[in-house]
Amino acid sequence: MLKIRGARHHNLKNLNLEIPKNKLVIISGLSGSGKSTLAFDTIYAEGQRRYVESLSAYARQFLEMMDKPDVDSIEGLSPAISIQQKTTSKNPRSTVGTTTEIYDYLRLLYARIGIPHCTKCGRKISNQSIESICESIFKDFDEKQVLVLAPLIQRKKGTYEKLFEQMKKDGYSRARVDGQIVLLEDEIPKIDRQKWHNIEIVVDRLKSSKAEKSRLFEAIQTALKAAKGYVLIASDKDEKMFSQNNACPYCGITIGEIEPRSFSFNSPFGSCKACNGLGVKMEFDADLVIPDMTKSILDGAIVPWSGRFSSFRRQELRAVGKKIGFDLLTPMNKMKPEQLKVILYGTDQMIHFQYESKTSDSFWQHTNSFEGVLNNLQRAFMETDSESKREWLKQFMRDTPCSECKGKKLRPEALAVKVNGTGISEVCDLSIDECYDFFKNIKLTETEKYIAKDILKEIIERLEFLKNVGLNYLTLNRQSSTLSGGESQRIRLATQIGSNLTGVLYVLDEPTIGLHQRDNARLIKTLVKLRDLGNTIIVVEHDEEVIRNADWIVDLGPGAGIHGGSVVFEGTVAQILNNHKSVTGDYLKDKSLIRLANKIRNQKGKITINGAAENNLKKIKVEIPLGYLVTVTGVSGSGKSTLVNEILLKALASHFYKANEKPGKHDSIKGTENIDKVIAIDQSPIGRTPRSNPATYVGVFTHIRDLFANTETAKERGYAPGQFSFNVADGRCFACEGDGVKKIEMQFLSDVYVRCDECKGKRYNSETLSVLYKGKNVSDVLDMTVEEALSFFENIPSIRRILQTIYDVGLGYIKLGQSSTTLSGGEAQRVKLASELAKRGTGQTMYILDEPTTGLHFADVQKLLDVLNRLVNLGNTVVVIEHNMDVIKNSDWIIDLGPEGGDKGGQIVATGTPAQVASNPKSYTGQYLKKILAN
């Protein structure tokens, strides 16, 4: 048993718990009830801390130390590994292949059995000994008369008199010049200096047979020495070049020694020189430089050239226009393509420029070529020393695939190495399913099989693990930063299974995020496999299917925040169903509890996306009805995020806010006139520092500061609202600068935050704290929960209205001044929703949410649905990407993508109301929906 005594971290209420080991244990409960605090900040943190403390003080200073949890004792703790939701890495070099170590094995495979090819002509290149060259000649020129030639000159111009002289001196009597045999004893051949020539020494003429082996061996040895590693064998009808170097005998391109680092895009030995292995280059984009093609140059069409020096630039472009036939009043979309090309990329033609100053008598003229707008901006970006100018120029730049390696990240020599006729980059572009099939059915020679046996075993095993956790649609080249929290967590889960450890405590945070109901069974099988190896698995989870498959459940509650932190139930699934105190048990018993009441719907037109073709989308046409709660569903990797986030959101952001992120590939979007703005609400933190808090985010703190500034005391002292801000020096504590805590760096121990001695953690100086409203100072107000503040400010409409929205989204328990870094993803998302509800809406907004139920308990899903319903009742449109069946069954319209993930997805499988989709046998979502609607 894992015995926990007196756990009091965050909101835990002095918990005493016993968790069985080597079991699949689920920790459930409302959002904010203390699940993550128990699993990660207490159990995992203590396991990690004990391990790190066993290391030397020298080693500890290089490791991130976990804070010591507030717990009396934990007994029976195994070494702990946490697999959390956080996206693995923001590093653009980190990919699925590198994270799972599959790419390391691929590099080794290609270095050991890969066959290099010439980057120019595509022929195979091999490193041959004289023995193997002889064998090849016997095979290819069996019993034929052959010439053994030493190629000295290949397709080069010149007369080469000195070369012929040297051949004569070295004792050679014959040469072959451009295919003709010449005798060197007669006279030196005269050849045309302006033509390409091939010159070879004739070393010997003999019959290719085993009887002549020693003579052939000697002739090849002589030819290789004379031609620096090359020999050419010619018969009447055929010729073949052999090389002792790893080089193409026809093009002379040398590959050099092939090592695993030759295939690493993180190493200078393998990465593309142009993009340093990133696959993309930041370049100026014509669409951002000229965002509105209907404008003319005089109207400021060329945005970066319409500022301070616009007068000079216009006179320059007027001269260019005279030369190639356009004027400055012509709209950009009315110009010929070749004229636009000159404006953007310049011309080598000589143009006479003259410049007259409007403010002085200065006049200047010269004749030169025109470099073009994009080249001018690129030069300015490279030459400027000003960081602010560089930042300003970046708004006109976009990441574009590298023109040298075409986004493949590696040098041409590495890309030309093939295994089974396929390059390493092409293998990484295959989906996990296709990659698995490729290695399962790979055709190798006996020698190659022997060399690659162990490497292939590791690659196939790891690919199998990725398939088992439902990631068969990903590619090895996929950047880690583009993965969802659930995907990156399942990748690390697959990596852990590959390590085959036993006796370990694994702590997981909602591994089902982003996983369709269909793939849940595979994930549960994986967790069970990890448990059966002899490990304890503790999972923080809300998914019904996972909870029903648990060996042991710990349910925390009964409420959230200060109302949570107690154990409501611990035991098996059968026991929780008969427990009347557990909210989780209630929802497991009765699935019909989550439903939407008082819907007000009237469709206000639609938005149509035509020809959506980004990533795996198959040029589909999608219609989104406005004024509805619309869910976009489908198995993982079917194209939901691509459609909603990459195309719809980016295109609308570009339309309404001129955002410079390029939307995914599509033909057009119609119906944008029916909405007036688009807002994406995700689960990212509402602030990155301890200073940011819910009160400042939703804007209620501004009204609170105004209220304090209007008190008698504040007026007498002349305090402005800024006096009550802990971001302004006037009113905040001088010692801790408004943080309330001081950070003390402990070198090889974790940093310690101590309460500030001056203000005792209240953040403000004594003068500010002496200003009271209804007997409370500003620090006391920030320490109130939303619930307490609601009754305290019940007579102040501007404050009460905003606080009411936070309360309505189910966050009555959070404190106004609570640090935003302590809020869970689900809580941060609901603070953002409250902020939207508090605004005066137009009823024409489109809200986009990507899996908003992440981290939400069944009861919280109900609250979320009520909030979304309120937004839709006001006339807005809510588009949600979702796998949660409770949200899907309560939506007004479903767009189901599929049928599978990756290349087999990207099509519309079904659209319509939940009942219509449920009756569609082709839809996986429909199949699960049918069961739920039947209940």
Side-chain angles (χ1 to χ4, degrees):
M1 282 287 196
L2 178 63
K3 296 177 182 175
I4 301 159
R5 298 283 175 266
R8 293 175 295 275
H9 206 64
H10 291 331
N11 65 336
L12 298 181
K13 306 269 176 40
N14 207 19
L15 294 191
N16 294 317
L17 258 182
E18 291 193 2
I19 295 173
K21 290 177 86 168
N22 300 347
K23 295 279 186 248
L24 175 55
V25 180
I26 300 293
I27 300 179
S28 62
L30 300 182
S31 303
S33 60
K35 302 181 301 297
S36 297
T37 302
L38 176 62
F40 290 96
D41 300 340
T42 306
I43 299 172
Y44 167 66
E46 183 62 14
Q48 178 74 349
R49 193 187 65 79
R50 286 186 195 176
Y51 164 67
V52 173
E53 284 203 343
S54 69
L55 303 172
S56 68
Y58 176 73
R60 293 209 299 265
Q61 67 183 352
F62 301 108
L63 292 169
E64 192 181 344
M65 283 287 286
M66 308 286 292
D67 291 336
K68 187 173 183 355
D70 187 0
V71 60
D72 292 341
S73 71
I74 300 181
E75 291 169 27
L77 196 54
S78 314
I81 292 175
S82 89
I83 305 177
Q84 284 174 287
Q85 275 175 40
K86 297 180 179 71
T87 302
T88 339
S89 168
K90 292 285 176 228
N91 184 345
R93 293 178 183 279
S94 173
T95 65
V96 171
T98 57
T99 308
T100 53
E101 294 171 4
I102 293 172
Y103 193 69
D104 297 328
Y105 287 103
L106 278 181
R107 291 193 296 131
L108 187 59
L109 181 76
Y110 271 77
R112 296 296 171 256
I113 65 163
I115 298 166
H117 289 65
C118 175
T119 54
K120 211 169 177 182
C121 65
R123 289 185 178 97
K124 276 186 192 175
I125 293 174
S126 54
N127 198 344
Q128 293 174 306
S129 63
I130 301 176
E131 200 67 56
S132 63
I133 292 173
C134 285
E135 289 303 323
S136 296
I137 294 168
F138 292 142
K139 196 172 152 195
D140 298 340
F141 299 92
D142 189 31
E143 297 297 323
K144 289 180 184 168
Q145 282 288 342
V146 293
L147 284 174
V148 179
L149 305 165
L152 301 184
I153 300 297
Q154 287 183 290
R155 283 188 60 76
K156 286 184 182 172
K157 292 177 181 177
T159 56
Y160 299 107
E161 287 150 356
K162 285 184 181 170
L163 182 70
F164 290 123
E165 288 285 356
Q166 189 61 46
M167 284 185 199
K168 235 172 153 179
K169 271 185 197 168
D170 293 342
Y172 296 110
S173 58
R174 285 177 301 169
R176 194 174 78 157
V177 180
D178 300 332
Q180 299 297 319
I181 304 281
V182 295
L183 293 170
L184 298 173
E185 290 136 16
D186 301 348
E187 60 174 315
I188 287 173
K190 297 277 186 286
I191 55 178
D192 190 339
R193 104 174 19 249
Q194 298 305 324
K195 287 186 179 168
W196 305 100
H197 300 291
N198 291 332
I199 301 172
E200 298 107 10
I201 299 170
V202 178
V203 177
D204 202 350
R205 181 188 171 93
L206 72 165
K207 191 177 183 183
S208 166
S209 69
K210 293 274 166 102
E212 298 278 9
K213 184 172 179 182
S214 56
R215 184 178 161 192
L216 179 65
F217 192 95
E218 199 179 327
I220 290 169
Q221 204 168 21
T222 309
L224 288 169
K225 196 174 176 186
K228 297 194 171 89
Y230 293 105
V231 59
L232 179 65
I233 305 296
S235 69
D236 294 342
K237 293 177 182 171
D238 205 7
E239 282 188 4
K240 193 166 181 186
M241 183 85 82
F242 297 94
S243 166
Q244 255 192 327
N245 314 322
N246 229 353
C248 175
Y250 298 92
C251 310
I253 290 171
T254 307
I255 291 279
E257 195 64 37
I258 296 173
E259 304 169 71
R261 66 181 182 178
S262 310
F263 302 97
S264 169
F265 42 79
N266 295 327
S267 156
F269 294 95
S271 61
C272 163
K273 284 178 181 171
C275 63
N276 292 323
L278 286 170
V280 291
K281 284 168 88 175
M282 209 173 177
E283 290 176 343
F284 284 94
D285 188 313
D287 292 343
L288 298 177
V289 170
I290 309 173
D292 188 351
M293 294 293 282
T294 58
K295 286 184 176 179
S296 68
I297 292 170
L298 276 181
D299 292 335
I302 303 170
V303 178
W305 274 19
S306 60
R308 230 167 78 207
F309 300 106
S310 57
S311 161
F312 169 71
R313 295 296 180 199
R314 280 172 189 166
Q315 293 190 50
E316 191 177 7
L317 286 166
R318 190 173 282 120
V320 176
K322 255 186 204 169
K323 185 83 175 176
I324 60 164
F326 68 83
D327 63 42
L328 304 192
L329 289 163
T330 312
M332 303 305 275
N333 57 3
K334 296 281 193 298
M335 285 189 187
K336 293 176 185 167
E338 54 271 24
Q339 293 172 338
L340 256 178
K341 193 177 173 185
V342 169
I343 292 171
L344 291 169
Y345 301 101
T347 175
D348 290 334
Q349 293 180 48
M350 285 300 168
I351 298 170
H352 182 72
F353 296 102
Q354 55 183 46
Y355 174 66
E356 245 173 279
S357 171
K358 288 180 180 174
T359 52
S360 65
D361 297 337
S362 60
F363 175 83
W364 171 71
Q365 61 179 358
H366 75 125
T367 301
N368 205 344
S369 58
F370 175 62
E371 69 174 338
V373 176
L374 298 185
N375 295 333
N376 171 270
L377 294 172
Q378 187 65 42
R379 188 167 56 80
F381 186 77
M382 299 307 286
E383 291 174 4
T384 183
D385 294 327
S386 160
E387 205 50 53
S388 59
K389 183 168 184 184
R390 212 172 246 136
E391 280 305 315
W392 179 77
L393 284 168
K394 272 184 187 171
Q395 65 182 306
F396 306 109
M397 300 173 91
R398 263 198 194 122
D399 280 342
T400 52
C402 167
S403 51
E404 292 284 315
C405 66
K406 307 286 183 287
K408 292 189 162 76
K409 304 180 181 180
L410 296 171
R411 292 180 174 210
E413 296 85 0
L415 293 170
V417 178
K418 313 268 185 200
V419 168
N420 218 23
T422 311
I424 194 165
S425 178
E426 287 139 44
V427 170
C428 291
D429 283 336
L430 298 172
S431 70
I432 299 294
D433 269 344
E434 292 165 333
C435 203
Y436 180 79
D437 294 341
F438 174 81
F439 285 112
K440 265 294 198 195
N441 306 315
I442 196 166
K443 289 181 173 57
L444 302 174
T445 63
E446 284 307 312
T447 314
E448 286 172 341
K449 273 181 192 166
Y450 184 74
I451 297 168
K453 188 176 68 181
D454 292 340
I455 307 173
L456 286 172
K457 179 175 162 275
E458 290 289 346
I459 291 172
I460 289 167
E461 254 181 29
R462 281 166 159 75
L463 289 169
E464 214 166 314
F465 295 142
L466 287 173
K467 284 178 70 163
N468 290 343
V469 292
L471 295 173
N472 47 332
Y473 57 90
L474 292 179
T475 64
L476 294 177
N477 258 345
R478 174 84 175 261
Q479 278 193 8
S480 300
S481 57
T482 65
L483 298 170
S484 71
E487 284 171 338
S488 64
Q489 189 180 13
R490 290 198 295 282
I491 279 180
R492 289 203 297 281
L493 184 60
T495 312
Q496 283 303 328
I497 298 165
S499 65
N500 275 329
L501 290 172
T502 62
V504 175
L505 170 66
Y506 286 103
V507 187
L508 287 88
D509 190 3
E510 278 200 88
T512 55
I513 298 163
L515 206 55
H516 192 271
Q517 297 289 323
R518 185 195 71 161
D519 301 319
N520 269 2
R522 272 158 139 192
L523 177 73
I524 292 164
K525 213 195 243 167
T526 306
L527 294 175
V528 168
K529 185 180 175 184
L530 204 52
R531 177 200 69 191
D532 293 346
L533 282 171
N535 299 304
T536 306
I537 319 291
I538 294 180
V539 187
V540 175
E541 189 54 271
H542 295 291
D543 183 82
E544 183 188 336
E545 204 176 337
V546 178
I547 295 174
R548 286 185 184 276
N549 278 279
D551 303 320
W552 193 258
I553 299 170
V554 175
D555 194 38
L556 297 184
I562 54 169
H563 305 304
S566 303
V567 176
V568 176
F569 167 84
E570 48 184 318
T572 62
V573 180
Q575 289 167 329
I576 199 170
L577 293 173
N578 298 318
N579 186 297
H580 303 298
K581 288 182 188 170
S582 166
V583 183
T584 309
D586 291 344
Y587 281 95
L588 288 173
K589 278 199 293 279
D590 184 0
K591 290 182 185 175
S592 64
L593 283 176
I594 299 176
R595 54 158 55 95
L596 273 186
N598 28 333
K599 288 185 179 183
I600 305 165
R601 300 287 186 268
N602 55 37
Q603 195 185 335
K604 301 169 140 189
K606 63 185 178 189
I607 276 189
T608 307
I609 304 168
N610 293 309
E614 181 71 9
N615 292 340
N616 65 337
L617 295 178
K618 311 283 193 293
K619 275 193 101 51
I620 54 174
K621 178 183 179 182
V622 183
E623 293 184 347
I624 299 169
L626 299 176
Y628 278 6
L629 170 55
V630 180
T631 51
V632 180
T633 61
V635 297
S636 306
S638 56
K640 304 180 296 297
S641 297
T642 302
L643 176 69
V644 177
N645 295 332
E646 293 299 312
I647 298 177
L648 179 66
L649 176 60
K650 284 185 180 175
L652 293 179
S654 177
H655 174 75
F656 291 117
Y657 316 122
K658 300 285 177 268
N660 63 357
E661 277 197 275
K662 198 171 191 172
K665 228 181 284 172
H666 68 286
D667 296 337
S668 65
I669 289 191
K670 298 275 191 300
T672 49
E673 66 281 355
N674 297 321
I675 56 172
D676 61 8
K677 60 178 178 289
V678 63
I679 291 167
I681 297 174
D682 57 16
Q683 292 209 348
S684 60
I686 55 174
R688 304 241 171 240
T689 65
R691 288 170 182 276
S692 58
N693 57 49
T696 52
Y697 187 86
V698 297
V700 74
F701 196 42
T702 308
H703 299 295
I704 292 171
R705 294 203 317 262
D706 289 344
L707 186 67
F708 273 94
N710 278 324
T711 57
E712 287 300 319
T713 319
K715 283 180 180 171
E716 283 167 17
R717 296 180 187 175
Y719 288 167
Q723 181 77 23
F724 302 95
S725 164
F726 42 78
N727 294 324
V728 177
D730 294 352
R732 72 183 181 197
C733 166
F734 172 75
C736 64
E737 296 185 333
D739 283 341
V741 290
K742 281 182 181 174
K743 178 175 160 182
I744 296 172
E745 292 184 8
M746 299 293 279
Q747 201 175 357
F748 55 80
L749 293 172
S750 58
D751 294 337
V752 174
Y753 287 91
V754 294
R755 200 175 68 164
C756 171
D757 288 337
E758 286 285 317
C759 64
K760 305 286 183 284
K762 291 186 183 293
R763 298 178 163 203
Y764 295 93
N765 59 33
S766 55
E767 289 301 300
T768 310
L769 292 174
S770 65
V771 178
L772 304 177
Y773 170 77
K774 284 170 67 172
K776 302 277 185 194
N777 61 36
V778 68
S779 178
D780 297 333
V781 168
L782 286 172
D783 210 33
M784 289 178 182
T785 63
V786 171
E787 235 170 320
E788 291 164 351
L790 253 178
S791 59
F792 185 75
F793 293 112
E794 62 185 346
N795 299 322
I796 315 289
S798 60
I799 296 175
R800 192 188 68 233
R801 185 178 61 83
I802 300 174
L803 290 176
Q804 188 64 48
T805 59
I806 304 177
Y807 185 77
D808 291 346
V809 298
L811 294 178
Y813 60 88
I814 64 172
K815 292 186 175 182
L816 295 184
Q818 186 173 334
S819 168
S820 65
T821 53
T822 65
L823 295 176
S824 69
E827 287 168 336
Q829 185 177 39
R830 282 185 287 162
V831 169
K832 291 176 189 178
L833 280 168
S835 164
E836 285 305 316
L837 280 171
K839 291 175 185 169
R840 301 267 183 239
T842 55
Q844 286 186 301
T845 304
M846 177 178 277
Y847 293 98
I848 292 178
L849 294 92
D850 191 348
E851 287 203 67
T853 56
T854 300
L856 299 193
H857 185 265
F858 306 112
D860 299 307
V861 171
Q862 178 68 61
K863 286 173 186 161
L864 174 79
L865 279 169
D866 291 339
V867 175
L868 298 181
N869 188 42
R870 269 178 68 180
L871 288 170
V872 180
N873 283 350
L874 293 168
N876 302 303
T877 307
V878 176
V879 177
V880 183
I881 299 173
E882 195 48 89
H883 291 289
N884 183 296
M885 284 294 155
D886 293 313
V887 174
I888 297 170
K889 77 174 185 195
N890 281 298
S891 56
D892 306 312
W893 194 260
I894 298 171
I895 298 165
D896 191 41
L897 298 182
E900 297 291 334
D903 286 343
K904 295 173 188 162
Q907 296 173 355
I908 291 180
V909 178
T911 59
T913 62
Q916 287 169 332
V917 172
S919 61
N920 188 324
K922 289 180 186 170
S923 164
Y924 286 119
T925 308
Q927 290 168 22
Y928 285 91
L929 202 51
K930 198 172 186 178
K931 294 176 197 168
I932 285 190
L933 292 176
N935 291 331

